[in-house]
Amino acid sequence: MKLCTLRATLPVRGRVFRTYAACRRLSSKSTLETVTGTQSGIAFDNSATISQTCSTTMSNLYDVVIVGGGISGLTLAAGLKSSPYTSNLKIALVESMSLASAKNWSPENDRYSNRVSSITPASRCYLSQIGVWDYVYAERVQPYDDMRVWDGVSGARIHFDAFHLGAEDASIAFMTENLNLQHALLSRLNDLPADPPVMVLDNTKVEGITEGPTFDDLDLSSWPSLKLSNGDIIMARLLVGADGVNSPVRSFANIKSRGWDYRQEGVVAVLDMEWDDRQRIAWQRFLPSGPIALLPMPDGKASLVWSTSPKHATHLKSLNGGAFCTLVNAAFRLGMVDLQYLMTRVDEEEITQEFEWRDGRLPIEAEGQQFPIRVVEVQEGSRASFPLKMRHCDTYVAPRIALVGDAAHTTHPLAGQGLNLGQGDVASLVRVIEQATQEGSDIGHEIVLQQYWAERYPINHMMLGVIDKLQKLYCTDFPPIVGIRTIGLEVVESLDWVKKIIMKQAAGA
Amino acid sequence: MRPRIPTILPSVRLLKRGYTYNAPSANYPGHVPTNIFQKLFLAAGSGIYSFFDPKRADLIATLGEATAVPFLMKRLRDQMLSDPTGRRILRDRPRITSASIRVDQLLSYPENTIGRTYAEWLKREGVSPDTRARVRYIDDEECAYVMQRYRECHDFYHAITGLPIIIEGEISLKMFEFANTLIPMTGIGAILAPLRLKPKQRERLRTIYFPWAIKNGATARPLINVYWEEILDCDVQEVRDELGIEKPPDLRELRKKRISRL
C-alpha cells in the first residue's frame, strides 16, 4: 500500500519514480539512478548491483500484462502503444500458442481461412485510428452494403441497406479473416517506434496466477504475479484478461460469468459461389434450428455460419462436399419440411435430386433477390464447428485486473457482434488508462478500472440481451410466436427510422 | 432520403388478396381462382345441398375443396414431404383412373391382395375409378394434387377397411379419414351427416364405428403416404398391420343380424 500513497502526488510518469523510489529503499546501492532518467517505462537494467530478490522483481514488473494474443489482446497492446499518453508503459503480452504463423501470414491465392469476422464501421474506425487498418490486406477485405434477413417459417423479410446509415458510400460491415487482422496488429506492433517495445511472449502458457510477494519495504501483494511456462515470473500493475471464454485471469479474479449454452453449434465453412456476385449482400435466414448466414468474401467466395443442433452439425461436417453445398442451398431456399427431410438423407445423389425437384418449383425471379445465388463448392478442410453460448461477467474489473473481449462476454454469432464488442471494450479501456496516466492515477486501481466497466457493461449487456432474445424468438415454429414475430418484423421493415436506429446500434455508433 | 410510399404489411396484403375481385390467374390446368367470399358461398351451397342429397359426390367434392383451409392442406402436404414415399407420390403425381389401374386384371390377383380386394369392392359397390371429379377450387397447385390424391385413394380406404358405401359406412370412413388427414370436409361430413340417420343407426355409429374410426385414424400411419399402385399384390392384412389399422366389424353383417333378429 505504500505504492499507492505515493501515487497521487506524482504526475504522468509517476510509476517510474515510484518503483524506483521503492527499490532504492530496498537496495543500499544507488547505481539505479543511471537507469531511470533516460528510459521510459520500467525496463530496469538488472545489473548485479541490485540485490538478488530485488533484481528478479524489478525486471519482471510490468505496467500492463495482457494474457491472450487474440485480436482483443493485440488491439489493446497496439492501442496503448499508439497513444502518446500510454506509449511508454511497459507492456507484456502472453500467448500460449505461437504467433509466428499470424506474423508471417500472407494471403494465399484463392484460399481463405474459415475463421472470419465481420468488422463494424466503428471497429474499423478504431483500427484506423491506432494505425492498424493500413496493415490489413485490403484485397482480403470484403465490405457489404446490403443485408437481407428473413424468417424461414413465415417468409417475412427485412432488408437493410447501407443508405440508412447516412453516408453515400457507407458499408454495413467488413468481412475479413481473423488472421488478416492478427497479422496487421502484429505488424503494427512491430513497426511502432515504442520504447519500450511490447514484450510478446508467445508459446508461453500462464501456469498460475498468484498474489505478488511482499518484501521488507515493497509490498507487491496486490499485484497479480504470473508464473509462466518458460519459468519466469512476471508481475503486473494491471493484468488484462483477453484470454477468451474460459479465461484463467477471470478465474483468478474470482469473477462470476453467467449465462447459458444455446445447445447449438455454429458450423463454419468457406464456400465458392456459382459466380462472383457483385451485389455484396449478406444473407441470413432464421430456421427453427438456428440461423444460417452467408457473408460475402472477395473472389466470389462466401463465408458460412450455420447455427444448428450439435447432431446436425456433426452430420453436416461428415457429409461429402457436394451434398453439404446442396444442403446449404436447401437451407436458404427450401421450406422447412423439405430441409428437415434432406437433413435425414446421406446419399449425395438422392439429396441432389430431391433438392433440384423442390428448387425447380421456386419462382425464377426470386433468384439473387430473395435468396442468395447457389453455392457450388466448399473449400477443402474449411468445415468446422464450435459450440454457441451466452456468457456475461458480473463485472469486468477487480483490483489490478480487467477483462476484455470474450473473457468478459460471449455471444451468439447471429448479429456478427462478438469481435466488435471486444473492440469496443479495448477502445474504452485504452481511453480510461490514458486518462489515468494523464491524471497520475494508478492504472491498476479499481476506481480507475471501474470507469471502463461502467462504460462498457450497459452497452454489452444490451447487445447480448437483444441477441439472446432474437435467438430465442426465432428458435421456434410455434405458430402464435411465428405470427407475432412476423408482424413485428414487417412493422420494422416498413418504418425506416426504426431500421435506422437498429443499424446505427449494430454499426457500433 | 428516398421517398417512401406508405405500404401495407405483407401479411395484411395476403389476407386482403382473398377479398379482391381481380382474382389471380389460374395456377394449374382446370383451376378456378376464387376469393374467400366465393369459397364461403360454394361451401354453404354445396354443404346444404349435399346434406339433403348425400349421393351427390360432385357436391361433396366441391364442399371438400371450398372448405380446404390452406393451413390444413399444407399440413397434409408437409406430411407427404416428410416421408420418402409421400415425396415420391408428389413427384410422380400418379392418377388413379381406369387407364392406370386395370380392374379386370386385378380380379385375377390372388385372394386377399389389395388389388383383388379393391377390384372386388369396386364390382360389389358398382363404382369405377373414373367417378372422381377434378380439383378446381384449391389455389395452391401442390395442395390441389394432394386433394386429388386423397379423393382417388378414397376407394382404397374403403377396400382396406371393408366399409361399404352405404351411408353408415361412408360416415364411419369419413370420421376415420378426418382423424387421419384432418381434411375439414371429412370432419364436417362425419358430424353433420348422422343427423339424417335413424336413432338405431346413430347409436351404432356412436358406440361401434366412431370409436374405431377415431382410434384407428389417429394412430395409423398417414394413409396419404401409401403408394397404392405399388402394393396392389400385397396381402391386405399385412398392409393393415403395417399401417396400424384394425378391421372394423362388418357393417352389412351387423345389419343382417339385426334384421334377422327382428
Side-chain angles (χ1 to χ4, degrees):
Chain A
M1 287 298 103
K2 274 184 196 120
L3 291 170
C4 301
T5 53
L6 276 159
R7 187 193 61 234
T9 59
L10 293 167
V12 186
R13 297 175 92 187
R15 87 208 65 79
V16 176
F17 301 112
R18 186 173 349 113
T19 328
Y20 164 61
C23 199
R24 187 145 65 169
R25 280 197 299 277
L26 263 169
S27 165
S28 57
K29 298 184 182 168
S30 61
T31 44
L32 276 168
E33 275 152 340
T34 56
V35 297
T36 52
T38 52
Q39 277 182 298
S40 53
I42 49 169
F44 272 75
D45 172 16
N46 60 346
S47 60
T49 50
I50 314 173
S51 68
Q52 202 52 47
T53 32
C54 189
S55 80
T56 330
T57 312
M58 289 304 116
S59 64
N60 295 327
L61 288 183
Y62 288 88
D63 287 309
V64 181
V65 171
I66 302 165
V67 180
I71 290 168
S72 300
L74 290 170
T75 311
L76 181 62
L80 288 172
K81 281 295 167 194
S82 303
S83 160
Y85 302 112
T86 52
S87 61
N88 57 358
L89 292 180
K90 194 179 166 196
I91 300 175
L93 188 143
V94 187
E95 163 63 41
S96 58
M97 314 275 267
S98 166
L99 289 172
S101 62
K103 198 165 186 176
N104 306 323
W105 181 78
S106 66
E108 200 182 330
N109 250 346
D110 220 42
R111 271 192 83 78
Y112 283 78
S113 148
N114 60 4
R115 297 186 61 200
V116 169
S117 289
S118 149
I119 316 287
T120 60
S123 301
R124 196 195 81 143
C125 186
Y126 183 67
L127 289 170
S128 315
Q129 205 183 310
I130 62 173
V132 173
W133 196 256
D134 299 337
Y135 290 87
V136 169
Y137 285 95
E139 71 272 19
R140 301 284 272 198
V141 178
Q142 178 67 65
Y144 60 87
D145 49 21
D146 194 319
M147 189 156 69
R148 298 183 193 187
V149 181
W150 71 110
D151 183 337
V153 182
S154 74
R157 316 179 69 87
I158 190 161
H159 178 197
F160 294 104
D161 196 304
F163 103 95
H164 290 293
L165 286 169
E168 264 307 304
D169 55 346
S171 291
I172 292 174
F174 304 81
M175 294 304 303
T176 194
E177 297 153 282
N178 292 358
L179 267 173
N180 194 2
L181 277 186
Q182 243 180 326
H183 170 258
L185 284 158
L186 285 165
S187 310
R188 168 72 178 157
L189 281 177
N190 202 36
D191 291 2
L192 265 171
D195 189 28
V198 174
M199 176 75 77
V200 177
L201 303 159
D202 63 345
N203 276 324
T204 308
K205 284 193 184 64
V206 176
E207 287 185 338
I209 309 175
T210 52
E211 286 168 2
T214 314
F215 305 110
D216 303 339
D217 206 10
L218 178 64
D219 181 7
L220 290 176
S221 64
S222 76
W223 287 39
S225 153
L226 286 78
K227 188 171 186 303
L228 303 180
S229 58
N230 62 7
D232 282 356
I233 291 177
I234 58 174
M235 273 163 264
R237 183 185 301 279
L238 170 62
L239 173 65
V240 179
D243 42 357
V245 190
N246 303 314
S247 166
V249 173
R250 190 181 61 216
S251 324
F252 166 69
N254 210 4
I255 295 173
K256 277 243 160 59
S257 172
R258 294 172 205 277
W260 40 80
D261 295 351
Y262 285 116
R263 275 173 288 176
Q264 283 182 347
E265 279 189 23
V267 178
V268 293
V270 180
L271 303 169
D272 273 305
M273 305 304 287
E274 206 169 3
W275 63 80
D276 193 352
D277 188 6
R278 296 280 165 190
Q279 289 193 89
R280 309 200 305 184
I281 303 173
W283 303 90
Q284 177 150 284
R285 189 186 196 195
F286 282 97
L287 311 174
S289 54
I292 176 169
L294 197 64
L295 300 144
M297 294 295 286
D299 304 333
K301 305 246 179 203
S303 163
L304 174 84
V305 191
W306 187 347
S307 314
T308 188
S309 64
K311 199 183 90 198
H312 281 166
T314 315
H315 176 62
L316 286 170
K317 284 188 290 180
S318 69
L319 283 172
N320 68 25
F324 176 75
C325 290
T326 309
L327 279 180
V328 171
N329 288 326
F332 278 108
R333 294 157 172 258
L334 302 189
M336 294 305 107
V337 186
D338 288 314
L339 183 59
Q340 266 162 27
Y341 180 79
L342 289 182
M343 278 296 210
T344 61
R345 305 286 117 179
V346 284
D347 179 43
E348 182 180 357
E349 200 178 325
E350 188 192 352
I351 292 177
T352 313
Q353 274 180 12
E354 292 283 347
F355 170 74
E356 292 300 339
W357 166 48
R358 298 309 289 176
D359 189 56
R361 298 177 48 83
L362 294 171
I364 190 90
E365 60 271 19
E367 189 80 28
Q369 292 303 314
Q370 290 184 15
F371 35 70
I373 55 170
R374 289 179 188 215
V375 169
V376 288
E377 216 182 310
V378 54
Q379 185 184 296
E380 189 90 19
S382 72
R383 269 182 283 173
S385 74
F386 53 95
L388 304 181
K389 43 184 124 182
M390 200 279 272
R391 291 280 189 282
H392 201 186
C393 290
D394 294 353
T395 173
Y396 304 165
V397 299
R400 306 215 173 273
I401 287 176
L403 303 173
V404 295
D406 279 0
H409 44 72
T410 311
T411 180
H412 196 284
L414 71 85
Q417 290 292 343
L419 183 137
N420 298 295
L421 292 179
Q423 295 288 296
D425 293 350
V426 168
S428 168
L429 184 59
V430 169
R431 255 197 317 278
V432 167
I433 295 174
E434 271 177 357
Q435 206 190 343
T437 49
Q438 287 177 73
E439 290 168 352
S441 325
D442 178 356
I443 58 166
H445 200 279
E446 209 180 356
I447 290 177
V448 169
L449 296 175
Q450 265 173 355
Q451 296 168 32
Y452 153 66
W453 177 60
E455 189 176 299
R456 288 307 297 175
Y457 188 85
I459 297 172
N460 291 338
H461 198 66
M462 192 189 76
M463 190 60 88
L464 260 60
V466 169
I467 293 170
D468 184 53
K469 269 79 201 170
L470 277 178
Q471 195 273 343
K472 294 200 159 48
L473 183 63
Y474 278 94
C475 268
T476 174
D477 51 6
F478 183 56
I481 302 285
V482 173
I484 291 167
R485 75 186 188 207
T486 297
I487 292 170
L489 193 72
E490 286 170 352
V491 168
V492 173
E493 168 70 0
S494 65
L495 299 175
D496 267 352
W497 61 274
V498 179
K499 265 207 251 185
K500 211 181 275 181
I501 294 172
I502 295 173
M503 289 185 70
K504 287 245 163 83
Q505 289 295 327
Chain B
M1 192 72 219
R2 245 189 290 182
R4 192 152 178 141
I5 308 151
T7 51
I8 312 166
L9 299 184
S11 54
V12 178
R13 207 181 302 143
L14 213 71
L15 277 178
K16 253 188 91 179
R17 197 192 297 158
Y19 295 95
T20 54
Y21 281 95
N22 345 333
S25 53
N27 296 338
Y28 54 91
H31 176 214
V32 181
T34 45
N35 63 37
I36 196 163
F37 289 122
Q38 290 166 327
K39 285 202 177 75
L40 283 173
F41 186 75
L42 275 174
S46 58
I48 292 166
Y49 204 107
S50 55
F51 180 76
F52 293 107
D53 189 359
K55 290 215 162 61
R56 284 286 301 270
D58 58 331
L59 286 177
I60 294 175
T62 305
L63 177 68
E65 291 170 35
T67 55
V69 188
F71 170 73
L72 291 173
M73 290 312 291
K74 289 222 162 84
R75 183 196 152 273
L76 193 58
R77 183 210 49 195
D78 288 350
Q79 224 169 32
M80 294 181 78
L81 284 177
S82 322
D83 181 86
T85 316
R87 286 182 83 90
R88 220 144 43 75
I89 295 171
L90 276 178
R91 219 159 131 181
D92 300 351
R93 299 283 173 100
R95 297 289 308 271
I96 301 175
T97 58
S98 51
S100 65
I101 300 239
R102 305 301 305 271
V103 179
D104 42 348
Q105 218 173 315
L106 292 182
L107 282 171
S108 63
Y109 276 40
E111 196 94 11
N112 286 331
T113 55
I114 294 274
R116 176 77 174 264
T117 319
Y118 172 69
E120 271 176 359
W121 185 86
L122 285 181
K123 217 170 84 182
R124 190 171 57 172
E125 309 292 347
V127 289
S128 118
D130 293 334
T131 48
R132 298 296 165 194
R134 287 288 298 264
V135 171
R136 283 177 295 173
Y137 303 114
I138 290 179
D139 295 324
D140 183 81
E141 186 263 346
E142 205 162 43
C143 291
Y145 175 75
V146 176
M147 181 58 106
Q148 188 79 45
R149 178 74 184 168
Y150 150 73
R151 194 176 285 169
E152 286 169 1
C153 293
H154 176 77
D155 289 340
F156 277 103
Y157 303 171
H158 273 294
I160 198 162
T161 57
L163 289 167
I165 54 167
I166 51 171
I167 188 133
E168 279 177 78
E170 203 63 73
I171 293 170
S172 313
L173 190 60
K174 282 273 177 293
M175 190 48 120
F176 172 80
E177 286 171 354
F178 182 66
N180 197 260
T181 64
L182 288 189
I183 292 175
M185 175 269 286
T186 55
I188 296 171
I191 299 297
L192 295 184
L195 297 178
R196 295 168 40 86
L197 299 182
K198 297 188 202 92
K200 193 67 223 170
Q201 289 177 308
R202 250 185 282 174
E203 198 203 316
R204 198 153 50 204
L205 278 182
R206 207 185 63 237
T207 55
I208 302 173
Y209 286 96
F210 275 9
W212 166 84
I214 294 167
K215 178 171 171 271
N216 283 274
T219 55
R221 291 179 40 207
L223 260 68
I224 196 82
N225 289 337
V226 180
Y227 214 139
W228 298 102
E229 294 88 330
E230 291 179 350
I231 56 162
L232 289 171
D233 53 353
C234 292
D235 184 73
V236 177
Q237 192 54 45
E238 263 173 35
V239 173
R240 236 182 256 142
D241 290 346
E242 205 174 301
L243 293 172
I245 303 171
E246 304 164 301
K247 195 175 175 3
D250 192 314
L251 192 56
R252 284 180 204 265
E253 290 289 315
L254 279 181
R255 294 230 291 195
K256 259 184 229 148
K257 251 188 232 162
R258 191 177 131 73
I259 290 163
S260 62
R261 247 190 287 138
L262 286 175

